[in-house]
Amino acid sequence: MRKVLLDVDTGTDDATAIITAALSPDIQLEAICTVWGNREVDITTRHTLMVTELVGKKVPVYKGCSGPMVRDLLPQWKQEYEFPKTGIDENGQEFGYHDDFHLPEPKVKAEDQHAVSFYVDYLRHVKEPVTLVAVGPLTNLGHALKLDPSITKNIEEIVVMGGGIAEYNITTCSEANIWHDPEAAQIVTRCGAKVVYVPLDATHRAALPKEYIAKCEDLHTPVGDFFAEMLRERIKVYNALQPLWRKDIAPIHDALCVAYLIDPKVLVDLRHVHLDVSMDTGASQGMFLIDTRHFHAPENCYIAYSGDEKRFGKVIMDVLKLDADHRKS
Ligand code: BDR
Ligand code: CA
């Protein structure tokens, strides 16, 4: 069983990453760290605690950074590239990507320790290497790796949801998680551990169709219902604000990273490349620069060019069915 640390900016798709990791028999979820991104860090932390209670797992949650490592010092920060995050439905109601969760207020609290110091302490002392799955801006990891670069010796692999090869969602050439904190992403890319990027090109191709809504509802479990509701909302948002290659599908970006730990074949065409993150401001902030020259610089990470919807859907349904079976017994 793999020991895993999750880093999330919860967020509907982050919620599904937590659910998948918490319910999988292949994963020992050691801790969850929260970060700013989809929403402010207090909200992403609250959402995270709600989801851990929903799945009934006692996992320590560490609140992390509330803004990027350095970008918010720049005068251009967030001025030019605000993008449409909400739409209005047929009833005149506003909807968005990462609205408030309709779950009970969490009873548990986050740990006192900050996520960055947790990473450093934990990774200095852990007895066997652990896998990190980071699906928000990489700010917590960027700080931890700066504080103590030697922690990489205890990292088996870092799986990151972020970036785009030919698909983008913030500017004409960048993706949200990387755009939010390019410096942190560059630090992670260069840290020397095995890094696997799961960009939009993979998550969009593995997007789940609306048929999964009924499949999840048929389980008649709180987690199945939450998943179904999340998918219904995301499909509505994607149809309206970010139409994909097919109608009535939605990418569940962050859960694809966790699914990769359970079935590596959910990622298709995984290439070993040299990648740099653009430190520019403006449209190319956080853009992925993949060195495809025949005299390219040494490889520093893996990146998935595509994803497999069927395999991904199976991983999701397997963990949800396992949860349903446990609840019955
Ligand atoms: C990524 O950004 C966040 O909005 C999502 O949770 C996902 O991690 C997609 O670009
Ligand atoms: Ca996320």
Side-chain angles (χ1 to χ4, degrees):
M1 210 195 292
R2 259 186 187 209
K3 282 191 176 180
V4 172
L5 304 177
L6 267 184
D7 200 287
V8 291
D9 60 331
T10 318
T12 52
D13 59 330
D14 304 75
T16 61
I18 297 170
I19 290 170
T20 312
L23 297 179
S24 169
D26 300 323
I27 290 175
Q28 188 176 325
L29 184 55
E30 294 282 288
I32 306 176
C33 295
T34 63
V35 70
W36 73 295
N38 285 320
R39 306 282 294 269
E40 298 81 12
V41 71
D42 283 337
I43 300 179
T44 65
T45 306
R46 185 164 144 266
H47 283 171
T48 301
L49 293 166
M50 285 172 163
V51 176
T52 56
E53 287 200 351
L54 172 74
V55 288
K57 284 272 155 136
K58 284 205 172 66
V59 188
V61 172
Y62 297 87
K63 186 169 111 176
C65 298
S66 57
M69 291 184 78
V70 297
R71 280 282 144 163
D72 51 358
L73 301 175
L74 303 181
Q76 303 90 334
W77 172 241
K78 279 205 162 182
Q79 278 170 16
E80 286 173 64
Y81 290 98
E82 280 300 342
F83 56 99
K85 286 185 187 142
T86 56
I88 304 289
D89 71 13
E90 55 285 2
N91 305 316
Q93 297 292 316
E94 196 178 63
F95 62 88
Y97 289 90
H98 302 287
D99 290 341
D100 290 335
F101 287 7
H102 302 130
L103 290 172
E105 274 308 310
K107 294 192 189 69
V108 283
K109 297 218 170 328
E111 306 295 313
D112 287 338
Q113 192 176 16
H114 191 280
V116 173
S117 76
F118 162 74
Y119 275 129
V120 174
D121 275 359
Y122 180 92
L123 291 168
R124 273 181 181 170
H125 301 118
V126 69
K127 296 275 177 286
E128 54 190 290
V130 295
T131 296
L132 272 53
V133 178
V135 295
L138 293 164
T139 318
N140 290 334
L141 283 180
H143 280 296
L145 288 162
K146 272 283 181 196
L147 269 171
D148 185 355
S150 80
I151 58 176
T152 52
K153 70 178 185 297
N154 283 329
I155 299 177
E156 187 174 350
E157 185 169 1
I158 308 177
V159 185
V160 177
M161 192 284 128
I165 302 162
E167 308 252 342
Y168 318 103
N169 61 7
I170 291 268
T171 73
T172 47
C173 48
S174 62
E175 178 277 338
N177 288 340
I178 307 301
W179 177 85
H180 274 119
D181 199 340
E183 284 75 13
Q186 185 74 303
I187 291 167
V188 170
T189 308
R190 292 180 174 179
C191 77
K194 178 181 178 189
V195 176
V196 175
Y197 274 107
V198 180
L200 293 174
D201 311 71
T203 65
H204 286 179
R205 197 37 68 170
L208 295 184
K210 66 172 191 276
E211 289 67 35
Y212 281 86
I213 297 173
K215 289 187 194 189
C216 294
E217 281 171 344
D218 285 349
L219 297 169
H220 301 291
T221 59
V223 182
D225 288 347
F226 177 83
F227 208 101
E229 182 57 17
M230 175 282 308
L231 186 56
R232 182 179 290 112
E233 281 305 307
R234 285 184 72 83
I235 288 176
K236 180 166 135 187
V237 173
Y238 273 86
N239 280 346
L241 301 180
Q242 211 182 313
L244 295 177
W245 56 280
R246 192 145 65 90
K247 202 168 177 275
D248 292 333
I249 60 173
I252 319 292
H253 310 286
D254 299 348
L256 187 63
C257 297
V258 176
Y260 159 75
L261 305 183
I262 300 163
D263 175 5
K265 290 194 176 148
V266 298
L267 298 186
V268 175
D269 196 5
L270 193 63
R271 300 189 198 172
H272 200 192
V273 299
H274 179 91
L275 182 148
D276 274 305
V277 178
S278 166
M279 296 293 117
D280 289 351
T281 56
S284 55
Q285 166 169 325
M287 181 184 177
F288 271 1
L289 308 168
I290 299 175
D291 191 349
T292 56
R293 298 170 301 176
H294 64 282
F295 52 91
H296 60 74
E299 294 87 351
N300 56 8
C301 70
Y302 292 82
I303 185 162
Y305 275 64
S306 191
D308 185 324
E309 172 236 308
K310 294 263 170 337
R311 280 184 178 270
F312 177 44
K314 181 173 180 325
V315 171
I316 296 296
M317 290 316 299
D318 283 353
V319 293
L320 295 183
K321 280 181 194 152
L322 211 60
D323 170 64
D325 292 344
H326 282 154
R327 284 173 199 260
K328 271 190 225 137
S329 59

